[in-house]
Amino acid sequence: MHKAVIVDDEIFFRQGLKSLIDWKSCGFEVVADASNGEDALSIIHKIKPDLVVTDIRMPVLDGLTLIKQLKQKEGHHPKFIIISGHSDFKYAQQAVRYGVHDFILKPIDQEEVEQTLKSLSKSITEQKIMFEKDIELKKAIILDNLIFGMVNEREVNELSSDLSLKNVSEYYYMVVEVNGLPLLPGDAECQLKDKLTNIIRDINDTRIGVLIQDLGQGSYGIIIPSTYLNRFQMQIAKFAHWTYGLLTKCSNQRITFYIGSAVPKLHLIRNSYETAQEIRQYKYTQEEQNIFLYHEFEKNRLITYTELEDSYYHLLMEQVEENATISIMETIDKIFLQFSWRRMARAAVLASINRCVHSILKIIKNMDGDESQLKTFQNMLHLQNNNVTLKQLRKLFLDYVLESKEYIAILRKKSANGEANKIKQFVDFHYRENISLKTIAAKFYMNPVYLGQLFKKAYGIYFKDYLLQVRISEAKKLLRQTEMKIYEIAESVGFNNTDYFVTIFGRLEKITPTEYRHKIHENRKVR
């Protein structure tokens, strides 16, 4: 609701205007009235209304002079509507020159006045929105300049004045992380930002501005002046715990705070920002900790930026290729214990995970697989750009490894079937030649034992038995369709020894090749 002040030397007109017009439905509330311009000046300076409805001719200070003086002063400039019984054209000219919204003659028409107010209310609302956007944009630019060290001291002083940051002895920079994948959708993120802003406003003087910026990737930065700490015995830790409690109470997201070192001046806030970013590296060294303060970590809190030992990568890759689920889970537990035990920096942890992810991808690509088939792949691909707790990271990584392991097993089965089929096709085409498991294995650069196992698994028959079946099947065809001699048929289908051919034929068909041919001839005579 916009604030309005009525200025007129006739008390009955002021009262009548208040009761005649439905101010609320027009978007306004009459918060004060005055009988002359001088009193109005004082009221307007104190209340800062959005609209002043004034007469022209009044004692002490007339309406036009009131408008002129307010326009000439820096600071707040309300909108003006003149309601006057004087229709002199020169008054209207001056009113236009001063940017008066409307000039209405007495006696007033209720409908006309209300229509004017509704139109003005809409205009004021739009201007306020634009003004707030401009202010937020200006703040965002200045904040970015502050944390990147590109500051103009005049701009910083203006910002301090605009946000009522006076008598500030020190400043802190606090990073607020929203953890979890997938991240909150845009509207929910804005709600969280608004909640954070409202919490800070609720525990401080509302005149003190809130400097909060979106750092991207589910993180926000807040500048905390010492004036925020008045209710907390000037202790940043108490302020942080209080704010954290209220924020997590109204959000189901996992939140983490990082508070940098104190700096004496706003233009030095970059130092606090950098130390806040520095202690984000400690995130995975303290799994249950949600609030990290730089002064608690700056001494005797060593962390390592080196990755895991190679043995863990090699072991995990072996287990993935062996499809060993239980062993994989045990190894991942050991890896995450290493993260904590070695006090590995956030960057080192993510680099180690990333190395495992890409090692698995390499296996998949070498098997002609497609990583986009993995549901968990996108989460791991964008892991570096998002915030997750150690517990969330372990689950994401475990899900990815187990899904990849299953996919690799499928690829291997397809690959094995493909290799077995290639061998089968080779036998079907080259059975007449002097081939064996050993010679084929050498041709395809495979281990003979592995090849034999692969063939048996794919077709349920040993390679040697399949080769004999193919040769005997072709021999039967020749016995039926030709008058070739037995030894010629034996040589034709790959047997170097006729006796061995006859023996194998008899074992498989329970009859000799000659008897088989005679049987075929007898059947033809009967028909």
Side-chain angles (χ1 to χ4, degrees):
M1 198 68 67
H2 306 306
K3 296 183 289 185
V5 171
I6 298 174
V7 187
D8 196 289
D9 59 344
E10 295 182 14
I11 187 172
F12 295 110
F13 177 78
R14 299 199 303 271
Q15 292 174 346
L17 190 60
K18 287 181 189 178
S19 58
L20 176 66
I21 303 301
D22 186 354
W23 293 89
K24 188 174 182 180
S25 69
C26 296
F28 289 92
E29 176 189 4
V30 178
V31 293
D33 61 85
S35 60
N36 61 73
E38 189 172 76
D39 291 343
L41 271 177
S42 176
I43 291 170
I44 292 167
H45 177 72
K46 183 178 180 181
I47 295 176
K48 293 182 173 51
D50 302 291
L51 170 65
V52 175
V53 180
T54 182
D55 193 359
I56 291 180
R57 292 187 176 178
M58 295 181 298
V60 187
L61 190 69
D62 64 57
L64 288 173
T65 306
L66 168 66
I67 294 170
K68 181 180 178 181
Q69 289 191 15
L70 286 170
K71 288 285 186 180
Q72 290 174 342
K73 285 187 176 182
E74 292 186 2
H76 180 70
H77 291 159
K79 301 292 183 182
F80 295 95
I81 292 177
I82 291 177
I83 298 180
S84 177
H86 304 281
S87 59
D88 193 323
F89 182 67
K90 69 177 183 180
Y91 290 134
Q93 277 186 313
Q94 284 183 279
V96 170
R97 194 182 307 127
Y98 294 148
V100 172
H101 180 76
D102 207 347
F103 191 105
I104 300 173
L105 292 174
K106 295 178 182 179
I108 64 172
D109 178 274
Q110 178 184 357
E111 187 175 342
E112 178 190 2
V113 174
E114 290 184 349
Q115 189 60 42
T116 297
L117 290 172
K118 287 176 182 177
S119 174
L120 180 58
S121 175
K122 182 180 178 182
S123 176
I124 292 172
T125 299
E126 290 172 352
Q127 288 178 10
K128 282 185 176 181
I129 291 171
M130 290 300 295
F131 179 76
E132 287 294 328
K133 286 183 177 179
D134 288 343
I135 290 294
E136 289 301 313
L137 180 60
K138 182 181 177 183
K139 281 167 57 178
I141 292 171
I142 293 175
L143 281 172
D144 284 344
N145 289 341
L146 278 169
I147 64 173
F148 289 113
M150 299 180 293
V151 291
N152 179 307
E153 195 166 347
R154 179 183 59 80
E155 288 180 329
V156 174
N157 290 336
E158 286 181 3
L159 183 65
S160 299
S161 178
D162 291 342
L163 299 174
S164 300
L165 297 175
K166 297 177 181 178
N167 303 318
V168 175
S169 58
E170 58 187 10
Y171 296 86
Y172 297 87
Y173 194 95
M174 179 169 79
V175 175
V176 178
E177 262 186 8
V178 183
N179 294 287
L181 284 175
L183 286 176
L184 289 168
D187 289 345
E189 279 197 67
C190 289
Q191 290 175 11
L192 187 71
K193 182 178 178 181
D194 291 342
K195 286 175 182 176
L196 188 57
T197 301
N198 292 334
I199 286 170
I200 292 176
R201 282 181 175 155
D202 286 344
I203 59 179
N204 292 288
D205 187 336
T206 54
R207 292 173 298 177
I208 298 175
V210 178
L211 284 168
I212 181 169
Q213 64 184 146
D214 189 344
L215 299 175
Q217 302 169 352
S219 299
Y220 301 96
I222 307 172
I223 293 178
I224 303 169
S226 57
T227 44
Y228 284 10
L229 311 182
N230 290 332
R231 288 179 51 186
F232 305 96
Q233 293 80 50
M234 304 306 289
Q235 295 184 34
I236 187 66
K238 289 186 177 181
F239 166 84
H241 283 282
W242 179 271
T243 306
Y244 179 86
L246 291 176
L247 185 61
T248 53
K249 188 177 181 180
C250 62
S251 172
N252 59 1
Q253 294 297 114
R254 289 292 304 272
I255 310 292
T256 312
F257 285 3
Y258 304 91
I259 302 172
S261 58
V263 293
K265 299 291 182 181
L266 184 57
H267 70 272
L268 299 174
I269 200 66
R270 181 185 182 186
N271 295 333
S272 186
Y273 165 80
E274 289 177 345
T275 51
Q277 294 289 5
E278 183 181 328
I279 58 171
R280 292 179 82 176
Q281 293 297 329
Y282 287 84
K283 180 174 185 174
Y284 297 138
T285 66
Q286 309 287 328
E287 186 173 359
E288 300 302 320
Q289 192 161 332
N290 299 309
I291 299 174
F292 292 78
L293 293 100
Y294 178 75
H295 70 262
E296 293 180 353
F297 286 83
E298 61 181 328
K299 293 181 181 179
N300 302 321
R301 294 283 184 141
L302 298 177
I303 55 175
T304 177
Y305 284 83
T306 56
E307 294 182 31
L308 279 173
E309 296 173 5
D310 289 347
S311 59
Y312 289 98
Y313 298 112
H314 299 323
L315 178 61
L316 186 60
M317 294 309 108
E318 285 178 11
Q319 292 165 346
V320 167
E321 291 187 321
E322 292 168 1
N323 199 10
T325 302
I326 300 300
S327 297
I328 286 170
M329 295 174 70
E330 290 174 350
T331 299
I332 288 177
D333 282 340
K334 291 175 182 177
I335 287 173
F336 275 75
L337 282 173
Q338 282 289 304
F339 292 158
S340 299
W341 181 73
R342 292 180 57 200
R343 297 184 59 79
M344 289 176 63
R346 180 187 192 140
V349 169
L350 294 178
S352 299
I353 294 294
N354 193 51
R355 180 177 172 186
C356 290
V357 169
H358 283 84
S359 295
I360 291 173
L361 284 183
K362 187 175 180 180
I363 294 173
I364 291 172
K365 287 184 179 294
N366 288 340
M367 298 179 74
D368 296 323
D370 179 5
E371 66 273 9
S372 66
Q373 297 298 312
L374 301 173
K375 295 179 180 178
T376 54
F377 175 65
Q378 287 300 317
N379 282 345
M380 301 310 296
L381 183 64
H382 299 293
L383 189 62
Q384 298 281 350
N385 300 324
N386 295 301
N387 305 312
V388 289
T389 63
L390 194 63
K391 186 177 180 180
Q392 290 169 341
L393 178 61
R394 185 191 179 282
K395 184 179 186 309
L396 287 167
F397 182 55
L398 178 61
D399 290 347
Y400 169 77
V401 174
L402 292 180
E403 186 187 14
S404 299
K405 179 259 307 180
E406 294 296 330
Y407 184 49
I408 288 169
I410 293 170
L411 290 174
R412 178 171 287 107
K413 185 175 181 181
K414 287 181 179 178
S415 176
N417 290 341
E419 289 173 341
N421 186 56
K422 283 194 296 184
I423 303 305
K424 180 177 178 294
Q425 288 178 343
F426 184 85
V427 171
D428 292 344
F429 190 76
H430 295 277
Y431 66 89
R432 296 178 181 86
E433 301 170 13
N434 183 23
I435 59 174
S436 66
L437 184 65
K438 188 175 181 179
T439 59
I440 292 176
K443 180 177 181 59
F444 287 95
Y445 304 102
M446 298 173 69
N447 181 284
V449 176
Y450 170 72
L451 176 57
Q453 293 172 344
L454 181 65
F455 197 90
K456 176 69 165 61
K457 189 174 182 180
Y459 296 106
I461 186 172
Y462 288 110
F463 169 83
K464 184 178 179 181
D465 292 339
Y466 178 75
L467 177 60
L468 291 175
Q469 280 187 3
V470 171
R471 286 173 170 173
I472 297 302
S473 178
E474 186 62 23
K476 287 168 65 178
K477 187 188 298 183
L478 294 174
L479 288 167
R480 292 193 306 269
Q481 297 176 359
T482 73
E483 294 300 323
M484 293 173 64
K485 299 183 182 302
I486 299 300
Y487 77 86
E488 291 175 331
I489 291 175
E491 289 178 1
S492 176
V493 296
F495 286 97
N496 295 324
N497 184 295
T498 304
D499 291 339
Y500 182 58
F501 164 65
V502 171
T503 301
I504 295 301
F505 194 100
R507 191 175 74 191
L508 294 180
E509 300 298 325
K510 311 301 180 189
I511 192 172
T512 67
T514 303
E515 289 171 339
Y516 178 80
R517 175 175 273 175
H518 287 323
K519 184 178 177 181
I520 295 298
H521 288 326
E522 290 298 324
N523 289 340
R524 286 174 181 167
K525 288 179 182 179
V526 172
R527 293 175 188 170

